Amino acid sequence: MKKHHNNFIIGCCITAFMLLLVIVGVFWTPYDAEAMDTAAKMQPPSLAHLLGTDNFGRDIFSRVLEGAGTTLFIAVSAVAAGLFFGILIGAFTGWYGGWVDEVLMRVADVITAFPSILLALVLISLLGSGKYNIILALTLLFIPSFSRVVRSEYAKQKELDYVRNARLMGVGTLRIMFVHILPNVWPVLLSSVTIGFNNAVLAEAAMSYVGIGVLLPDASLGRMLSESQAFFFSAPWYALSAGLTIVFLILGVGLISDGLGEWDNA
């Protein structure tokens, strides 16, 4: 079996497993994720607590389920919103060009020149904490990167024969842009979407880790990492549970992207 097949299959399996955990966490958790039990503090993994308990006696597995759901909700929402507006801006600027195109692309160049996680931290410090403000901040960061990719592809595609033939046949501009051209842009845009998803996961974890991200009572993998730092040697299962969940969320999507990219180049 070729390498790109392996990457794609492994990535799909990891992502499917993580999605299954998130879906299960939406409807059921073994314990209340915020319920404290001082008599059960820092217990190692067992049948009663699959991933052990934290310094407040809370069940780590339940908290991981809720935290993964929060992270996935933020990442998917931010990428979807950024993709929607990025496609609109990129499509119209790539199709029409002109001074609006130049201004918007220069703004996009400036924004994308800075590390996305750093900009996300700056924006969330201005907007305030909370998962919806995180989504807004990440959306504002994703729009320029997505619009640049879409704009570049539309500028190329509009000169191809199939687009010229559609225009000669009297097909409307909007139909050409979003029915004829957009499907041919998706393969190129896919890698940007997967990178955006992984950046969103990392950004949410980083913001929650430093205390300006997801607020209580919502669970957060980043906040769990921060809380577990002091107990890494005495209770390593605490940090590893949250850390490996973040790693697998990123790894699965990354392997799918690599597999698809290598498949296209094969």
Side-chain angles (χ1 to χ4, degrees):
M1 186 176 290
K2 295 182 179 180
K3 181 182 177 181
H4 55 258
H5 291 164
N6 289 333
N7 287 343
F8 182 76
I9 292 173
I10 294 172
C12 286
C13 291
I14 294 174
T15 302
F17 176 71
M18 298 307 297
L19 286 175
L20 178 62
L21 286 181
V22 169
I23 293 171
V24 168
V26 171
F27 298 100
W28 172 84
T29 55
Y31 300 87
D32 182 345
E34 299 300 327
M36 301 181 185
D37 183 1
T38 55
K41 292 192 299 183
M42 307 306 279
Q43 290 187 359
S46 64
L47 291 178
H49 300 280
L50 294 179
L51 297 179
T53 60
D54 64 10
N55 53 312
F56 293 105
R58 297 173 297 191
D59 181 64
I60 294 176
F61 182 56
S62 299
R63 290 177 59 74
V64 164
L65 290 179
E66 288 202 6
T70 301
T71 297
L72 190 64
F73 172 74
I74 290 172
V76 171
S77 298
V79 170
L83 186 62
F84 175 77
F85 291 107
I87 287 175
L88 288 180
I89 294 172
F92 282 101
T93 55
W95 181 267
Y96 290 106
W99 68 268
V100 175
D101 173 34
E102 288 297 324
V103 171
L104 290 176
M105 288 306 103
R106 296 299 75 78
V107 172
D109 289 341
V110 171
I111 294 176
T112 54
F114 295 93
S116 58
I117 293 180
L118 177 60
L119 283 178
L121 289 171
V122 172
L123 285 174
I124 203 64
S125 65
L126 296 174
L127 295 172
S129 302
K131 61 183 178 183
Y132 294 107
N133 281 343
I134 295 175
I135 292 171
L136 176 58
L138 293 177
T139 297
L140 294 175
L141 294 180
F142 289 149
I143 290 174
S145 59
F146 290 148
S147 63
R148 287 183 65 190
V149 174
V150 174
R151 179 258 184 192
S152 176
E153 287 302 307
Y154 267 77
K156 296 176 184 177
Q157 295 287 332
K158 72 179 183 180
E159 303 298 333
L160 298 182
D161 289 341
Y162 79 95
V163 175
R164 291 177 177 175
N165 292 336
R167 297 177 72 175
L168 289 173
M169 294 174 63
V171 179
T173 299
L174 291 179
R175 182 174 178 82
I176 292 175
M177 291 171 64
F178 297 107
V179 176
H180 293 261
I181 297 180
L182 184 56
N184 295 316
V185 175
W186 275 113
V188 178
L189 192 56
L190 182 61
S191 61
S192 296
V193 171
T194 55
I195 292 172
F197 175 85
N198 287 346
N199 284 340
V201 172
L202 288 174
E204 184 278 321
M207 286 184 280
S208 297
Y209 182 87
V210 299
I212 59 172
V214 176
L215 298 173
L216 293 172
D218 293 320
S220 167
L221 297 174
R223 189 168 60 245
M224 288 179 65
L225 276 177
S226 178
E227 293 171 349
S228 66
Q229 189 173 2
F231 309 99
F232 184 77
F233 293 103
S234 60
W237 60 85
Y238 191 1
L240 289 175
S241 298
L244 289 176
T245 302
I246 295 173
V247 169
F248 283 124
L249 280 171
I250 294 173
L251 180 63
V253 175
L255 286 175
I256 291 174
S257 177
D258 289 343
L260 290 174
E262 291 167 358
W263 215 321
D264 291 336
N265 295 327

